Amino acid sequence: MTSPEPLSGQAARWAGQRERRQAEFVDSALRVIAQQGPNASLEDFAAEAGVARTRVYRHFTDRADLERAISARVAGMIVAELEPLWRPEGSARQMIRGAIAAHVGWLAENRNLYAYLRRHARPDDDDGALDGYAGVRRAVADHLTRLFGAYLSLVGVENQTTETIAYAVVGMVESVSERWTEQGGPEGSADGAEAADVIVEHLSAWTWAMISTALASVGVELDPDLPLPPLL
């Protein structure tokens, strides 16, 4: 297969300009969604960006293309916020609490963006791309599956239920924290922050209960407060 022809100077400049304008418009859309909620209109996005509605389609193929771009940005924000999950350290309890606190904290501050992501989940959202709701959910569950499997292998246990437990944990944390954001106070409020601490403690305890039960079923006992060895 031959390599594609490199873009000419003018075409390359246009492509770069188009990407910049797309990013700027998505920035504007995120600000509007954060303020107005997931029902914000294309007209609202255009007004925030300072352009006519019709000019939006100079940079996006159609409305679905714009929705995908916004969803991809929100998905990237969630993934970036989950650093304690991608690079776990400390004890099992610390790992669990750190990841859940990061997730709940992000939702507390960005519930409208999360609602937009959920509302615009697409039928093809589970095609392996990390650009939508299902993609984030799958990436987290797959990472947990590998994490559980790696730690079990350190004690000589091969277990086929790691994926089941991973998806169970993701489903519980996701549904409970999402319900909490729907019932919670205004973003950034003192009451919301206090409620966040409570929900993090509950979810951390329930998550450990699920994991410890799964460990016991294969004959493994683990002190949740002892540091775990780092994984390569």
Side-chain angles (χ1 to χ4, degrees):
M1 179 181 297
T2 59
S3 300
E5 290 285 338
L7 292 175
S8 67
Q10 182 176 1
R13 286 192 297 274
W14 166 244
Q17 182 181 8
R18 183 171 184 270
E19 290 176 356
R20 286 193 297 274
R21 290 298 292 156
Q22 285 178 329
E24 290 169 359
F25 195 84
V26 170
D27 288 341
S28 299
L30 292 181
R31 290 194 295 270
V32 173
I33 294 167
Q35 295 171 0
Q36 300 184 19
N39 292 323
S41 68
L42 178 61
E43 288 76 10
D44 295 327
F45 300 161
E48 175 69 18
V51 300
R53 180 181 184 276
T54 53
R55 289 182 62 85
V56 174
Y57 296 117
R58 291 186 60 184
H59 307 287
F60 298 93
T61 305
D62 51 24
R63 188 182 183 90
D65 187 33
L66 171 60
E67 291 173 353
R68 279 192 293 270
I70 296 172
S71 293
R73 180 73 70 81
V74 177
M77 293 168 66
I78 295 175
V79 169
E81 195 67 26
L82 288 176
E83 179 68 13
L85 176 66
W86 311 126
R87 300 180 184 277
E89 58 182 10
S91 67
R93 198 186 305 277
Q94 288 171 328
M95 291 180 184
I96 291 169
R97 196 186 191 289
I100 291 175
H103 177 66
V104 171
W106 189 89
L107 287 183
E109 296 180 0
N110 301 278
R111 55 171 56 95
N112 283 338
L113 296 182
Y114 183 76
Y116 183 94
L117 185 69
R118 288 297 309 269
R119 182 166 298 184
H120 292 86
R122 308 181 306 277
D124 62 345
D125 203 15
D126 200 21
D127 60 0
L130 189 59
D131 62 354
Y133 168 72
V136 173
R137 190 173 190 273
R138 184 187 57 253
V140 171
D142 288 350
H143 179 74
L144 287 178
T145 299
R146 293 190 295 271
L147 193 65
F148 295 161
Y151 276 115
L152 282 175
S153 68
L154 290 179
V155 294
V157 174
E158 297 294 334
N159 189 267
Q160 300 301 315
T161 64
T162 52
E163 184 178 52
T164 302
I165 296 300
Y167 273 88
V169 168
V170 169
M172 179 189 68
V173 172
E174 173 191 57
S175 59
V176 172
S177 58
E178 181 180 344
R179 181 60 175 165
W180 170 74
T181 61
E182 293 173 351
Q183 298 177 328
E187 295 180 355
S189 69
D191 290 343
E194 184 177 355
D197 290 337
V198 173
I199 202 68
V200 167
E201 291 303 325
H202 285 329
L203 285 172
S204 298
W206 298 336
T207 298
W208 171 246
M210 293 173 63
I211 294 174
S212 61
T213 299
L215 291 174
S217 71
V218 293
V220 175
E221 292 186 9
L222 178 65
D223 185 336
D225 295 312
L226 289 179
L228 292 173
L231 296 173
L232 296 178

